[in-house]
Amino acid sequence: MSEDIIALLKENVIQGRRTKDDEGIDENMAGTPGVLELTQLALEKKISAETIITQALTAGMQVVGDKFTKKEYFIPDMLASAEAVGGAMDILKPYLEASDVATKGKFIIATVKGDIHDIGKNIVSILLKGAGYEVNDLGTDVPTERIVGIVGEYKPDFLGLSALLTTTMVVMGEIIEALKESGLRDKVKVLIGGAAVSDEYAQEIGADAYCVDGFHAVKVLDAFKEEKA
Amino acid sequence: MPREGILVHTPYERMTNEQVLQVHQASIQILNEPGLISFNREATEIFHSNGAEVASVSSSDNPCWLVKIPEELVLHALDSAPKTVKLGARNKDNSLVMNGEEPRVFFVSGSETNIWLDVDFQPYVKKSDPNIEVMVPEFHPRRGTVLDLCQAAHLCEHLETLDAFIRPVNIQDKDITEDNKDVNKFFASLNNTTKHVMAGLTSLKQLDNVVNMAKLIAGGGEELKENPIISFITCLVKSPLQFVEDTTQTLIEICRRGLPIVVSSSPQAGTTAPIKEGGIMAQINAEVLAGVTLSQLVSKGTPVLYGSVPVRARLDNLSDSYGAPESSQYNIDCVQMARFYKLPCYSTAGVCDTKTPGMQTSVERLFSDILVTLSGPQYLHCAYGLLDGNSTFCLLQAVLDDAHFQMIKFFLRPPRVSQAEIDDTLKQIREVVATPQKLYIRYIRPMLRSGQLSMPYPFEGDGETDNVLALAYERMKQLLSQPVEHIDPATTSRVFQEIPGILSRLNVYEERKEQ
Ligand code: B12
């Protein structure tokens, strides 16, 4: 029985069905429970949060990623699955906190002061959440002091900064300087992204990584984790 | 169910109604004064016995007559010519139904070129860095053969947008003569595509052999009438205003056999027609009307298409310039005239001036392909694979053209605005605006695999490389590896027994036995 639920959950992740109202790819699934309902059901059946995450959610996302690489899936498919997994993670959060199972890590993301571009940043948020990270999105045009304050208070493992303008990318360097001044720089890995920035720029301002897109970000974060382990 | 083609909801037209009437009036005047010179005795007699004024204008060794066609003959013919013409096909799902008033476009290959362009890809090494190697297409022109024609028909069978087949290559094998060319070109085409086959006739002596072959393949005389798997193009009028002796006779004989026919004229603005738009329009329209009139006088109700291949002269060598924007203007004007007469229109697009596939080719082709399609001709001879005016055919180019037509067809889908759609999307807007991310991406999904969204250009390279030709070449090979449904063995053997002159190498069943 519990295997059935896990298999169904995984299949629904692959189908990108968050709730029973979502259309997946397979029309036969219309109206049947989606990822959120099945996660709830799994918890009621006393399946552990860890099992749900590793055997259904992450395993499902793995398949989705493979399908994307093979050009069988498009960005909207990836996002639908990631959103579904993100929703499941919200449900699982209290259970994770109660047990000692950790999420993959806390991730703060923001578009820097002076910049209102957020499409890319939002996509990154959805994908990271779907990949199992606990994401806190501060929004756009976020003042440097606020970012530094939250890093100090919330102690994330990662800080993601987005800037699309050549005039606002310099703010990223200022944030890194401010983190140093507050003694926080070595407590958090800083990732940057957006049309204006590059690998070279990341090195120049002393960021830990530059990411071309959200998928790249997931790989970079996983690599960080392996480094640590 | 016949093929769908693509309906142009609001066809693009250049001329006002007043201008259309002016062209019509001018054509009627031309038919009466100066009239046409006829080199064909029988056509002259037919016109004469129906009230046209005829006068001999020549010496006895090259007899010809001046025929003045009165307006009412033309109007009668326009009345009796069918407004709906059906072109059948071996596979009935591939038949075309064309209505002169409905701008539903069908895309067609053609026409006969002498040169077949082979393509292969060779590695080229960079001089300053021999580690860098690229694949470059090389083009090798040669004379077309009957087996090339088989291959062209085979590929065209699998090109999704291609609705009917006009042979794109002239068969020039040593054993092809005037006496067996027609049966071989029709058989090679019919045996390798299940779509409609249209062609011109090389020798009138072959007409009955061709028609009898078509009867065998269609399943009988009545069946052929009901499902005309073949039809003919005749350029009976040579511009300016001359009924040619042999093609005019061909038209007369085809009309007597009741098969559909295109009456086409191909004047060149600047040399065989006035360079001004009004002038070439008045003349070509008169030439086509003369042919339509003759077809109806021979046999009332003959299914006939208004055929137009007007072009502008290139001023550096006086050859046809299909790439010139004016050529598209004239074609679009002709489509408008045909619609005015409610006759289905055979129109021309896609022919280009360049000699090999490449950028200029794509620019010239797409330009006329889009514009002429938008005007809504029923039967658009859009020359899949043709290069260098009408001289060269290349399979690779035909594959590229198919991709263009897929885009054009997609573009012409009707606008998706309705109260239900609007209500549905207003709901979406309210939902999305209330989310932190404000993205509509999730709503793409239900449409993603339904064919409602266009896909990227199929020959897009990875990264920054332009790999169009190599990718199209792969596609071409893949299409050629898909089988075609040949004519069945029993019919094939009857065709070979009863129709003289077909080359034994075209018998796919014999060949298989040999292997
Ligand atoms: C859409 C857009 C807008 C929209 C933004 C809507 C929105 N909700 O975000 C609007 C119209 C509002 C806008 C406004 C402006 N824009 Co604008 N805009 C764009 C555009 C066309 C696309 C950006 C986009 O969304 N791309 C799609 C997403 C998916 O890609 P992405 O943002 O790059 O994100 C991906 C990656 O970069 C990466 N990534 C991004 N951030 C992060 C962060 C992290 C941590 C990680 C790991 C990864 C990551 O992952 C993402 C997902 O794959 C770009 C053109 C371009 N080449 O980028 C111009 C562009 C960025 N804009 C430009 C300009 C100039 C402006 C304006 C100043 C125009 C004006 N004069 O008003 C204003 C700026 C206002 C302001 N103060 O910010 C210029 C910037 C030029 C420069 N000097 O740098 C660009 C480059 C256009 C151009 N070529 O001129 N813009």
Side-chain angles (χ1 to χ4, degrees), chain A residues 109 114-121 123-124 160-162 164-166 191-195 211-214 217:
Chain A
I109 191 165
D115 201 321
I116 61 159
H117 292 87
D118 68 354
I119 300 175
K121 179 209 62 164
I123 289 177
V124 173
L161 301 173
S162 184
L164 272 86
L165 303 170
T166 44
L191 282 74
I192 65 168
C211 301
V212 209
D213 57 27

Side-chain angles (χ1 to χ4, degrees), chain B residues 331-401:
Chain B
N331 270 292
I332 291 169
D333 291 344
C334 285
V335 176
Q336 207 178 340
M337 292 313 296
R339 193 174 303 126
F340 172 68
Y341 299 126
K342 304 187 171 67
L343 292 179
C345 182
Y346 166 111
S347 185
T348 304
V351 191
C352 60
D353 294 352
T354 28
K355 294 182 167 50
T356 56
M359 288 191 206
Q360 187 186 341
T361 305
S362 291
V363 170
E364 287 180 351
R365 294 201 50 116
L366 253 187
F367 184 83
S368 65
D369 283 340
I370 296 172
L371 292 177
V372 183
T373 303
L374 284 179
S375 72
Q378 287 74 13
Y379 195 86
L380 183 57
H381 153 247
C382 51
Y384 289 71
L386 249 63
L387 297 160
D388 194 10
N390 253 332
S391 311
T392 302
F393 175 74
C394 178
L395 284 176
L396 172 67
Q397 182 63 45
V399 172
L400 292 166
D401 297 335

Side-chain angles (χ1 to χ4, degrees), chain B residues 125-293:
Chain B
V125 174
K126 185 174 177 179
K127 263 188 174 173
S128 59
D129 182 355
N131 289 322
I132 297 183
E133 192 183 285
V134 290
M135 298 301 281
V136 176
E138 289 185 349
F139 300 101
H140 310 285
R142 59 178 176 79
R143 296 261 155 201
T145 67
V146 70
L147 291 179
D148 293 333
L149 176 57
C150 293
Q151 214 181 22
H154 183 155
L155 183 90
C156 288
E157 171 73 0
H158 295 309
L159 295 180
E160 204 182 298
T161 61
L162 188 144
D163 293 302
F165 185 70
I166 297 178
R167 84 233 171 282
V169 58
N170 184 13
I171 53 177
Q172 298 155 83
D173 312 60
K174 288 211 173 66
D175 44 2
I176 293 289
T177 63
E178 194 170 308
D179 291 332
N180 68 3
K181 191 170 185 178
D182 288 311
V183 285
N184 279 290
K185 77 188 179 205
F186 269 98
F187 184 76
S189 303
L190 284 165
N191 196 32
N192 288 284
T193 179
T194 64
K195 297 177 182 178
H196 179 77
V197 172
M198 175 186 276
L201 202 67
T202 305
S203 162
L204 186 51
K205 283 185 278 176
Q206 288 297 306
L207 177 61
D208 283 319
N209 284 335
V210 170
V211 173
N212 289 336
M213 182 201 314
K215 281 182 188 163
L216 284 175
I217 297 170
E222 275 314 302
E223 286 79 358
L224 182 63
K225 235 182 211 127
E226 194 274 322
N227 180 29
I229 59 173
I230 59 166
S231 62
F232 297 90
I233 324 172
T234 51
C235 301
L236 71 161
V237 177
K238 177 176 150 196
S239 300
L241 298 160
Q242 303 154 79
F243 281 119
V244 181
E245 154 64 322
D246 55 352
T247 330
T248 304
Q249 199 61 39
T250 303
L251 172 116
I252 293 171
E253 297 304 329
I254 292 169
C255 292
R256 287 186 173 135
R257 285 158 185 79
L259 284 164
I261 189 163
V262 178
V263 169
S264 128
S265 164
S266 180
Q268 192 193 64
T271 56
T272 57
I275 188 83
K276 288 193 175 167
E277 190 170 0
I280 184 172
M281 281 312 300
Q283 184 186 305
I284 186 174
N285 188 51
E287 291 170 342
V288 177
L289 289 180
V292 170
T293 305

Side-chain angles (χ1 to χ4, degrees), chain B residues 28 31-32 47 50-53 68-75:
Chain B
I28 295 291
L31 291 172
N32 193 44
F47 276 114
N50 282 280
E53 195 184 306
K68 298 189 168 203
I69 307 174
E71 180 174 4
E72 73 258 26
L73 273 194
V74 179
L75 297 183

Side-chain angles (χ1 to χ4, degrees), chain A residues 131-154:
Chain A
Y133 292 89
E134 191 187 329
V135 180
N136 184 356
D137 185 343
L138 305 184
T140 60
D141 192 18
V142 186
T144 302
E145 311 78 67
R146 177 148 181 257
I147 295 177
V148 176
I150 290 195
V151 169
E153 189 185 320
Y154 185 73

Side-chain angles (χ1 to χ4, degrees), chain A residues 15-16 18 22-23 25 72-73 77 79-80 83 122 126, chain B residues 436-439 441-442 444-446 448-449 455-456 462:
Chain A
Q15 294 279 329
R18 210 170 61 97
D22 283 339
E23 294 178 50
I25 291 171
E72 207 178 300
Y73 268 22
D77 302 313
L79 286 179
E83 264 190 313
N122 289 345
I126 297 172
Chain B
Q437 280 135 2
K438 308 204 185 335
L439 293 174
I441 303 180
R442 64 167 27 243
I444 298 175
R445 271 196 106 207
L448 203 53
R449 288 171 181 82
M455 286 295 135
D462 284 338

